[in-house]
Amino acid sequence: MKKILGISAFYHDSAAALTIGGEVAAAAQEERFTRIKHTSDFPVNAIKYCLEETGLNLDELDAVVFYDKPLLKFERLLETYYAFAPKGLLSFLKAIPVWLNEKMFLKKLIYDGLKEIQHFDKKQLTLLFPEHHLSHASSAFFVSPYEESAILTIDGVGEWSTASIAMGKGNAISMIKELHFPHSLGLLYSAFTYFLGFTVNSGEYKLMGLAPYGDPDSEEVKKYTSIIKSELADIKEDGSVWLNQKYFNYSTGLKMIKEKKWTALFSFPRRKPEAEIEQRHCNLAMAIQKVTEEIVMKMAVEAKRVTNSENLCLAGGVALNCVANGKLLQEKVFKNIYIQPAAGDAGGSLGAALAAHYLYFSEERKWENKADKMAGAYLGPDYSEKEIGLMNRKYKAVFKKYADFNELCAAVAAQIADGKVVGWFQGRMEFGPRALGNRSILGDARNADMQKRLNLKIKYREGFRPFAPSVLIENSKDFFDLDVASPYMLFVAPVKKERREKLPGNYHNLPLWEKLYHKRSDVQSVTHLDFSARIQTVHKETNPRYWELINEFKNQTGYGIVVNTSFNVRGEPIVCTPYDAYRCFMSTEMDYLVMNDFVYCKTDQPDWQNEEKWMVKFKMD
């Protein structure tokens, strides 16, 4: 059986994944270990974990695979600067030395990184470099439940490609169409992320969450949409886009856009980070989100036309736009849709390994018409009772250990029903950007104040951002208009009409915060302004402990649904270790922490009110 290590690194969201015989054995992002969000460092810790989890060493691997071709990227960089010359000289002078000193010698960097982990025989190591979009496509198709499928990959940019349509069949993938740099839906969306005051490559979620605050009936949204389509992006029928480079600066500059031109175009300047959000910002967010949905839809229709498949696999950063995914699902262009849960660059590590397994080594693909091969995305490290015990002793943590998990669920569900916020830390950590019930913070979806409390007192993030529901798959249709499973929180769907509250006639004219806190449904804390929700369906087969907790909550309240947000605070990655979890618990206003069978009550902890003392202690450690 082929044992293959995939790596994504040096650009964004470094990660490692290890496959054995085409099965995903382990995968993790480097940020979870270093605690540096979206780190681009070589994934030393993630690779160590993958090797330890599988009991392998580097010399036992059949290949190590990097997720793109750096020489093609270098070619694109040179050709782009040449095409735009003499513009971009400053950026050129800054970028080229980095490429010459680092990226051009990527093989050496990889060898040096692997040497930090353990000794290996360099002469025996097979090092492979598939193209970026092939890695993305492989990450989705080869774990999907389909024997054949259209594959649509959309992101910022790989080497040259910014979007691609491919056909997967058996153990093969054939590329059919590509859109090339500098024309990119991902970069267009990121440009608006920047203009609206969020951070590129991490703030796109915020832009998506802000969009429903726009007024869909306003002339301003229509005007902004018209400007985008007439001045910034020429959208073709097949979904390809041509971006007017006189407004953009990402090709050769040091910023995403030419700010003065955008200010003139939209009649207001770039919003500064942390500045107040105004209605015009919301309306512009809505406009670019609607344009994005239109482009994704056109690309999907084209994928259907050129492949004639009933199935679609999605990957690339834009595939994490779950609102667009939800619209695609509603339109029923394809009978079945599968989205890689780690659709961004981190998932490229997994795709690289699978591409090598099936395309380089030509291994047979054993296809079964059932769930995917991602094991619920629970592919990261887990921690034993002994390791939790060591943390308990170090911090003199006060806990109650339950011998009966049903008893634990009953106690924790009662606290959630009472309005308490619970950190839920169980089993193997999730791979990808979503917390799916193993590194989650939980609350009562019925509680009208829960969204505000979680944002301001637990997550310490922007108050406008929505929260997702985790709902038992058996009860999902009781709450949402969703006909399929959504285990990875990658589809947005409407809350059922019978659960909605009637909105006042002037709703869209209300100030942002009044709109946010106006009651919209009986599951208020997971109902966004447009009556939508980003849904995770919870399945007993893939996460029995999380299912049991929510089922117990249902037994007590009649509602098989809870609020689920990632176990972290703003600016930090999702927690990985028991230490990370306890630190986050003690540094926020969380009420309870549950780690495996251990339950911690905040008010039982030593010096629980002395947050400054705890922060000093954690910093020293």
Side-chain angles (χ1 to χ4, degrees):
M1 292 203 301
K2 299 297 182 188
K3 298 172 282 292
I4 303 174
L5 176 69
I7 301 169
S8 62
F10 303 124
Y11 308 115
H12 180 70
D13 274 350
S14 292
L18 205 154
T19 63
I20 300 175
E23 300 294 324
V24 190
Q29 292 127 284
E30 184 69 6
E31 66 168 18
R32 306 292 172 85
F33 303 95
T34 65
R35 312 308 300 154
I36 301 170
K37 199 164 188 179
H38 302 303
T39 184
S40 58
D41 291 346
F42 188 78
V44 170
N45 297 286
I47 294 171
K48 283 181 180 177
Y49 155 68
C50 289
L51 294 173
E52 289 169 1
E53 179 68 29
T54 56
L56 297 171
N57 60 53
L58 291 172
D59 283 329
E60 293 177 280
L61 299 176
D62 293 282
V64 173
V65 195
F66 191 73
Y67 77 135
D68 66 9
K69 290 184 179 293
L71 286 178
L72 270 181
K73 279 199 172 184
F74 187 60
E75 174 191 283
R76 187 246 298 167
L77 189 73
L78 290 177
E79 287 194 25
T80 300
Y81 279 121
Y82 180 77
F84 283 89
K87 293 179 181 178
L89 179 61
L90 179 61
S91 176
F92 178 83
L93 293 174
K94 285 191 173 187
I96 291 303
V98 173
W99 273 89
L100 290 176
N101 291 331
E102 294 184 13
K103 310 302 190 291
M104 286 291 288
F105 302 103
L106 188 62
K107 281 189 178 181
K108 182 180 183 304
L109 285 174
I110 293 173
Y111 288 139
D112 289 346
L114 294 175
K115 282 178 186 175
E116 287 187 46
I117 298 165
Q118 58 186 232
H119 175 77
F120 65 97
D121 186 348
K122 182 178 172 181
K123 292 180 181 179
Q124 297 299 315
L125 182 72
T126 299
L127 192 55
L128 303 174
F129 297 87
E131 289 191 15
H132 186 90
H133 271 236
L134 181 59
S135 293
H136 276 316
S138 298
S139 77
F141 175 63
F142 287 132
V143 300
S144 77
Y146 313 137
E147 193 276 333
E148 58 83 21
S149 177
I151 311 167
L152 179 58
T153 298
I154 317 169
D155 64 2
V157 60
E159 295 87 7
W160 278 104
S161 184
T162 62
S164 62
I165 295 172
M167 182 68 187
K169 189 168 185 178
N171 69 343
I173 290 176
S174 54
M175 287 291 174
I176 300 173
K177 296 184 75 171
E178 290 186 334
L179 179 67
H180 283 177
F181 183 86
H183 308 296
S184 165
L185 174 56
L187 291 175
L188 175 66
Y189 202 81
S190 291
F192 280 88
T193 300
Y194 175 82
F195 187 66
L196 288 169
F198 305 120
T199 304
V200 172
N201 287 332
S202 63
E204 284 76 9
Y205 298 126
K206 300 178 186 180
L207 176 58
M208 184 175 66
L210 184 63
Y213 289 87
D215 181 353
D217 300 319
S218 74
E219 289 302 315
E220 197 168 55
V221 170
K222 295 175 186 175
K223 181 181 80 170
Y224 290 157
T225 302
S226 176
I227 290 172
I228 294 168
K229 290 184 175 183
S230 62
E231 296 293 330
L232 296 180
D234 181 13
I235 305 169
K236 309 297 185 184
E237 272 309 301
D238 65 355
S240 59
V241 293
W242 180 88
L243 301 188
N244 188 346
Q245 291 301 300
K246 81 174 187 178
Y247 290 102
F248 298 93
N249 210 30
Y250 55 74
S251 290
T252 56
L254 300 173
K255 292 182 179 180
M256 285 298 299
I257 62 173
K258 294 174 181 175
E259 289 188 28
K260 288 184 180 179
K261 289 185 181 292
W262 278 56
T263 298
L265 199 60
F266 294 108
S267 302
F268 66 86
R270 176 186 176 234
R271 175 183 164 265
K272 293 181 179 178
E274 309 302 328
E276 182 181 353
I277 294 173
E278 302 171 15
Q279 189 59 44
R280 59 187 179 180
H281 301 134
C282 303
N283 287 341
L284 185 57
M286 173 171 277
I288 185 56
Q289 176 62 34
K290 296 294 183 187
V291 170
T292 298
E293 291 164 17
E294 178 185 340
I295 295 170
V296 170
M297 187 65 64
K298 286 178 180 293
M299 286 185 176
V301 169
E302 179 67 5
K304 173 75 173 180
R305 185 187 72 80
V306 298
T307 65
N308 200 33
S309 176
E310 293 288 340
N311 307 314
L312 176 66
C313 292
L314 281 169
V318 177
L320 294 170
N321 192 309
C322 47
V323 179
N325 298 341
K327 297 291 171 64
L328 196 57
L329 194 67
Q330 287 177 354
E331 291 298 318
K332 300 188 184 300
V333 177
F334 288 87
K335 185 177 179 180
N336 306 300
I337 299 176
Y338 177 78
I339 307 167
Q340 164 57 240
D345 279 357
S349 61
L350 173 58
L354 291 168
H357 182 84
Y358 292 110
L359 304 176
Y360 180 81
F361 290 111
S362 299
E363 293 291 306
E364 181 186 358
R365 181 170 176 238
K366 296 174 183 177
W367 170 75
E368 297 177 34
N369 187 17
K370 59 178 186 180
D372 69 356
K373 294 185 175 183
M374 286 297 291
Y378 307 113
L379 298 166
D382 60 354
Y383 294 88
S384 66
E385 181 177 317
K386 180 180 178 181
E387 289 166 304
I388 296 173
L390 290 172
M391 188 282 299
N392 290 338
R393 288 195 289 277
K394 181 173 183 178
Y395 294 115
K396 299 180 173 55
V398 178
F399 59 85
K400 179 176 180 180
K401 185 172 183 295
Y402 284 80
D404 184 338
F405 185 69
N406 291 329
E407 190 180 326
L408 182 151
C409 286
V412 174
Q415 295 298 338
I416 294 173
D418 193 39
K420 301 297 191 296
V421 176
V422 175
W424 184 256
F425 180 106
Q426 301 287 326
R428 295 183 73 175
M429 180 178 67
E430 299 91 338
F431 181 53
R434 314 290 196 215
L436 301 170
N438 278 8
R439 302 290 187 276
S440 293
I441 297 173
L442 309 178
D444 188 348
R446 305 169 303 162
N447 189 316
D449 295 325
M450 188 55 63
Q451 192 260 4
K452 181 177 183 180
R453 186 181 173 206
L454 285 172
N455 267 331
L456 302 182
K457 303 208 173 199
I458 309 296
K459 303 282 284 186
Y460 302 127
R461 69 184 196 183
E462 300 90 346
F464 71 84
R465 293 177 63 184
F467 288 102
S470 286
V471 59
L472 300 178
I473 182 63
E474 297 86 349
N475 298 125
S476 63
K477 291 181 182 178
D478 298 335
F479 294 94
F480 308 107
D481 290 325
L482 183 69
D483 294 330
V484 300
S486 179
Y488 301 124
M489 212 181 280
L490 286 169
F491 290 115
V492 161
V495 173
K496 292 192 84 70
K497 288 184 179 178
E498 54 265 34
R499 294 193 172 275
R500 302 181 190 180
E501 298 285 338
K502 187 175 181 181
L503 299 179
N506 65 338
Y507 181 68
H508 290 298
N509 296 321
L510 294 173
L512 184 149
W513 302 114
E514 285 190 42
K515 280 193 282 190
L516 175 61
Y517 299 130
H518 194 285
K519 189 170 184 186
R520 294 177 295 280
S521 80
D522 66 336
V523 282
Q524 170 76 358
S525 288
V526 297
T527 303
H528 207 11
L529 267 74
D530 55 357
F531 292 111
S532 69
R534 177 168 51 108
I535 300 156
Q536 179 200 3
T537 54
V538 180
H539 304 248
K540 193 172 186 178
E541 299 80 13
T542 51
N543 197 333
R545 288 172 76 91
Y546 194 36
W547 187 93
E548 290 290 353
L549 174 68
I550 301 174
N551 191 56
E552 177 56 32
F553 185 78
K554 177 188 173 184
N555 291 338
Q556 294 185 20
T557 66
Y559 282 66
I561 183 172
V562 295
V563 178
N564 171 17
T565 187
S566 56
F567 199 152
N568 65 316
V569 295
R570 186 183 185 186
E572 288 192 0
I574 295 172
V575 301
C576 176
T577 68
Y579 163 79
D580 299 332
Y582 191 74
R583 174 182 176 272
C584 188
F585 170 60
M586 292 302 295
S587 305
T588 66
E589 296 183 36
M590 228 178 293
D591 300 298
Y592 286 86
L593 168 64
V594 184
M595 282 199 281
N596 294 357
D597 296 324
F598 296 83
V599 177
Y600 308 76
C601 173
K602 175 64 67 62
T603 55
D604 290 341
Q605 305 310 305
D607 294 317
W608 68 275
Q609 291 177 307
N610 193 342
E611 185 176 320
E612 185 177 342
K613 179 179 177 180
W614 274 104
M615 291 311 295
V616 170
K617 186 174 180 62
F618 287 134
K619 197 170 186 180
M620 287 174 63
D621 291 337

